[in-house]
Amino acid sequence: MSFDINTNITSLQAQQYLRVNSDFQAKTINRVTSGLRILSSGDDAAGLAIANGFRSDQAVLTQGIRNANDGLSTLQTIDGGMNNISQLLDRARTLATQSASGTFNGSRDLLNSEFTSVLGEIDRQSQSIGLNVGGTFAKSLSVFIGGGRGPDSAAVITNGSVSVDLSSSTVDSRSLGLQAYEAKGAGSGDFTATGMGVSNIITTNAPAGNLTTFKFNGPGFGDANGVSVQVNLNSVQDATTLAAAINSAISSIQATSPANLAFINAGVTAGVSSDGKALVFDSKSTAFQVEASDATAAAFLGFTTTNIDPTGLAPASNNTKIEAGGIQATATITYGTGLVKATPEKQELFVSTTDASGAAHTLAIGLTGLGAAGANQTLAEALGQINTALQNSADAALKNIVAVSMDDGTTHNLEFISTNPTFSVSVGANTGVANHGLGSQNTIVDSAASGTATSADISTQAGAQSAVAALSAAVASLGSAQAVVGKGQNQFNYAVNLAQSQLTNLAAAESRIRDADLAAEAANLTKAQILLQAGTAALAQANSSSQAVLALLR
């Protein structure tokens, strides 16, 4: 071997290994003191990316579990309110049952007073828990928890969410069937007045075949699709038997068309006002209009014979219609002489509404202005176009609006009725000539509350007996709503359990990648210390090895 003193290869090699061992010792000490295997991207770039994804998923699930627990708390609050409403229904049924007894000789008015206050408390508590019609929680509640998987981000969000639909679980008195939308006889009608008894009306008008007809208009069964109900008057002697005959005729309607089915689903029933003076029509869920199709029906609705053509209704005097009281909203615009037919113009009508959750819905309806055989479009033809557009919109909130006519022989009003909380109707600017027949251009008519609702009443034995049946159905309805809330609570509990399991397993997976194995690192630390000490000693030997050359120079 050769000897040289300029380049000490052994020393350089010893320095290299010493540096490597020193770095190894420093990294091992950092791992032991931090508890982490990956301290920088260079330690394990691929592993770090995976571990960071796991850590991010844990953050989402941690907040998602809080979200689910918040949702669970909300449902528990709602459930507690429903339990209170259940007790209120028990009290209402007790009062109704007491009043329904023929041997009760106390004051039914006092019973009815408490009964009314119980219904009011049901409404107050349903509003407090957000499950009245249009309430805070009367909608589909989606809670994002995380942990979802899917081919795209939308699927990840959907699979990581739990939804509870409370839109059909409202528990106010209307939703429980204890209030209804009511259309009450109008004009000067009073079955108890002289000459206005039911028998006198039938005798005076002498309907052909002893039959009279009422036409009903509502969402899905409006204008040309209105449902006509022909009533047999042979057994009718008073207001009570008249209502029974009308209900018998209504129940005979078969679901042979979409309009008939919509009318059946509306659940319209006839009855007599509590004072026995007027004919009333109720629906638990739908705004509607009742129209007399002949003089007899008009008189039953309370319109005097001076407004009636004995051979039928005079075309220019069509003020023989009543609408459901308690409708949440109506909007009216005036219809002129008809849309002008001169050119293929288009008049636009804009209908805007909000659903129970507050979401906005808008529909633009184009009216052609042309009627049958190219004549001016009539009000009836305009109604047909409007209602067809609403029903074909495939939008539940818009389909809940119906356009009807309310004429007094001079003014032709196009009226929109609905149980939606709010809506508006606007007439667009004309696109051809000045007169399109629809009110003022570029104006908006907002809905306004109309009429009053009718509530279950136990001030009479008959009313109490009806209330007993209605309350029985209300208890079943409340039970159905409670089942939905209970199902939601279980869903949230299951979701929390899964999220907790996912959170635990994600933490374990991240730990396997990111955390240091301290047993191995302790051994490595000992190894590094020994190597460093040995390397230091070896470097000292390597540095002094060149001194052997001095022996050659002596």
Side-chain angles (χ1 to χ4, degrees):
M1 58 177 291
S2 63
F3 291 89
D4 60 72
I5 60 174
N6 288 324
T7 302
N8 191 338
I9 301 301
T10 304
S11 176
L12 292 176
Q13 289 174 335
Q15 291 176 50
Q16 178 185 351
Y17 288 124
L18 187 62
R19 183 171 57 253
V20 170
N21 291 332
S22 178
D23 290 344
F24 177 58
Q25 183 190 47
K27 184 175 292 186
T28 302
I29 290 173
N30 286 338
R31 287 176 175 174
V32 170
T33 55
S34 68
L36 298 175
R37 183 181 70 88
I38 302 175
L39 297 171
S40 65
S41 300
D43 292 338
D44 184 354
L48 182 63
I50 296 172
N52 284 343
F54 287 155
R55 184 174 62 188
S56 180
D57 288 344
Q58 289 176 69
V60 171
L61 283 169
T62 300
Q63 182 58 51
I65 290 171
R66 294 194 191 102
N67 292 347
N69 284 325
D70 289 345
L72 185 59
S73 298
T74 298
L75 291 184
Q76 288 171 339
T77 302
I78 291 173
D79 194 27
M82 285 182 162
N83 288 332
N84 287 341
I85 291 174
S86 180
Q87 295 177 21
L88 289 167
L89 287 178
D90 292 344
R91 180 55 182 165
R93 292 189 78 182
T94 300
L95 294 169
T97 302
Q98 185 177 9
S99 181
S101 173
T103 59
F104 177 74
N105 57 6
S107 172
R108 285 190 170 88
D109 288 337
L110 290 178
L111 292 179
N112 191 57
S113 177
E114 183 181 351
F115 182 84
T116 301
S117 69
V118 168
L119 296 187
E121 181 61 14
I122 289 175
D123 286 335
R124 189 191 71 81
Q125 294 204 12
S126 67
Q127 190 274 336
S128 296
I129 61 175
L131 277 186
N132 57 314
V133 174
T136 305
F137 299 118
K139 57 186 176 182
S140 180
L141 305 174
S142 179
V143 176
F144 182 67
I145 298 174
R149 294 291 183 268
D152 52 40
S153 59
V156 170
I157 295 296
T158 300
N159 294 331
S161 301
V162 174
S163 295
V164 179
D165 189 359
L166 299 180
S167 58
S168 299
S169 300
T170 50
V171 291
D172 55 352
S173 60
R174 184 183 300 285
S175 301
L176 295 177
L178 303 177
Q179 280 193 348
Y181 298 102
E182 180 183 89
K184 185 176 181 180
S188 58
D190 182 353
F191 290 145
T192 64
T194 303
M196 277 299 291
V198 171
S199 297
N200 288 339
I201 291 175
I202 297 173
T203 301
T204 301
N205 292 284
N210 223 25
L211 301 172
T212 189
T213 303
F214 297 90
K215 182 182 177 184
F216 294 86
N217 296 303
F221 55 99
D223 56 87
N225 294 319
V227 176
S228 293
V229 175
Q230 193 173 63
V231 181
N232 190 324
L233 301 175
N234 285 327
S235 60
V236 173
Q237 298 178 348
D238 53 26
T240 302
T241 53
L242 172 62
I246 296 173
N247 286 328
S248 176
I250 290 174
S251 64
S252 68
I253 300 297
Q254 301 295 313
T256 55
S257 67
N260 282 7
L261 179 60
F263 174 67
I264 292 171
N265 291 337
V268 178
T269 58
V272 184
S273 61
S274 58
D275 57 10
K277 294 182 178 182
L279 188 65
V280 295
F281 295 86
D282 290 340
S283 170
K284 304 298 183 186
S285 60
T286 302
F288 64 97
Q289 181 190 70
V290 185
E291 176 183 349
S293 296
D294 53 53
T296 305
F300 285 147
L301 295 182
F303 297 99
T304 61
T305 55
T306 56
N307 291 341
I308 300 167
D309 179 351
T311 61
L313 298 182
S317 183
N318 197 25
N319 187 24
T320 54
K321 302 175 183 179
I322 58 175
E323 291 175 353
I327 298 171
Q328 294 227 359
T330 61
T332 304
I333 59 177
T334 301
Y335 189 85
T337 57
L339 298 180
V340 176
K341 62 169 184 167
T343 59
E345 60 188 86
K346 180 180 179 181
Q347 174 64 66
E348 287 211 303
L349 198 66
F350 298 92
V351 181
S352 300
T353 186
T354 56
D355 58 24
S357 66
H361 305 262
T362 302
L363 178 67
I365 302 173
L367 298 177
T368 62
L370 296 178
N376 288 348
Q377 188 177 56
T378 64
L379 177 57
E381 289 168 332
L383 283 171
Q385 274 195 280
I386 294 168
N387 285 321
T388 297
L390 288 168
Q391 292 303 309
N392 289 342
S393 66
D395 186 308
L398 291 166
K399 292 173 76 169
N400 197 33
I401 301 173
V402 63
V404 297
S405 64
M406 286 296 281
D407 302 350
D408 61 7
T410 302
T411 302
H412 308 284
N413 288 328
L414 181 62
E415 187 157 290
F416 294 79
I417 59 176
S418 176
T419 56
N420 290 351
T422 58
F423 67 93
S424 64
V425 180
S426 62
V427 182
N430 60 2
T431 57
V433 294
N435 181 15
H436 289 255
L438 289 175
S440 301
Q441 309 299 312
N442 291 325
T443 59
I444 298 177
V445 180
D446 291 317
S447 60
S450 171
T452 56
T454 179
S455 302
D457 186 284
I458 62 170
S459 59
T460 63
Q461 183 181 358
Q465 290 172 343
S466 297
V468 169
L471 285 163
S472 177
V475 170
S477 297
L478 178 63
S480 297
Q482 285 179 302
V484 174
V485 172
K487 180 184 72 174
Q489 292 182 63
N490 289 335
Q491 279 183 280
F492 283 138
N493 278 320
Y494 297 144
V496 168
N497 290 340
L498 174 60
Q500 289 281 16
S501 175
Q502 288 177 301
L503 188 60
T504 300
N505 289 309
L506 283 170
E510 184 195 5
S511 175
R512 279 190 290 270
I513 297 173
R514 193 188 296 274
D515 291 348
D517 182 348
L518 291 183
E521 296 303 330
N524 287 337
L525 183 59
T526 300
K527 174 184 175 181
Q529 288 173 337
I530 293 172
L531 287 173
L532 196 60
Q533 292 173 9
T536 302
L539 178 60
Q541 291 293 325
N543 287 339
S544 63
S545 63
S546 297
Q547 294 178 357
V549 178
L550 296 176
L552 299 175
L553 299 177
R554 289 193 184 114

